[in-house]
Amino acid sequence: QVQLVESGGGLVQPGGSLRLSCEVSGISTSIPALGWYRQAPGKQREFVARIATRGAVAYADAIKGRFTIFRDNGWNTAALQMNNLKSGDTAVYYCALEEIVNVKYSPRYWGRGTQVTVSS
């Protein structure tokens, strides 16, 4: 059974930093990509960042230059370093195992999410 577990959320002041981590278990084959998504209250879930099998990364425009995705502890992990956080970054952040469907990355499995709150 594939499981994704996120950690590292919390409360931080504007301008502060947080690091989220995601670990995937229950899979023995290569993972096409691990992605981070977020969902703010009253809004749809949106893409944040992705790291593919060979290390290629992609970011949403809203967080470019502030967030960095990388593998922090092996091929089945993905960390999201978030710097210069803004109130608009407040959301539940979800890790997703993505597969390629019709030449696009598509989330197949989700973690339960971790809350990030940016507030003074």
Side-chain angles (χ1 to χ4, degrees):
Q1 182 180 0
V2 177
Q3 288 188 321
L4 291 82
V5 178
E6 304 100 334
S7 61
L11 173 65
V12 65
Q13 293 185 342
S17 298
L18 278 177
R19 179 178 294 186
L20 307 181
S21 293
C22 172
E23 183 172 358
V24 183
S25 61
I27 188 167
S28 58
T29 59
S30 64
I31 297 172
L34 285 176
W36 284 97
Y37 290 72
R38 67 186 183 185
Q39 187 167 17
K43 294 188 177 181
Q44 289 189 333
R45 193 172 298 188
E46 63 178 4
F47 169 76
V48 175
R50 168 186 302 118
I51 184 164
T53 302
R54 296 185 179 184
V57 298
Y59 297 100
D61 289 342
I63 56 85
K64 276 183 181 177
R66 299 189 296 122
F67 292 10
T68 304
I69 188 169
F70 59 98
R71 300 191 188 281
D72 60 339
N73 196 24
W75 63 274
N76 61 329
T77 66
L80 185 69
Q81 178 66 41
M82 305 185 294
N83 298 329
N84 190 21
L85 282 160
K86 306 175 181 181
S87 59
D89 296 317
T90 295
V92 177
Y93 284 70
Y94 297 89
C95 182
L97 189 159
E98 298 185 305
E99 296 182 333
I100 297 175
V101 179
N102 294 330
V103 303
K104 290 184 178 180
Y105 286 103
S106 177
R108 180 171 180 183
Y109 298 99
W110 294 95
R112 292 187 176 184
T114 185
Q115 177 70 47
V116 171
T117 302
V118 184
S119 175
S120 56

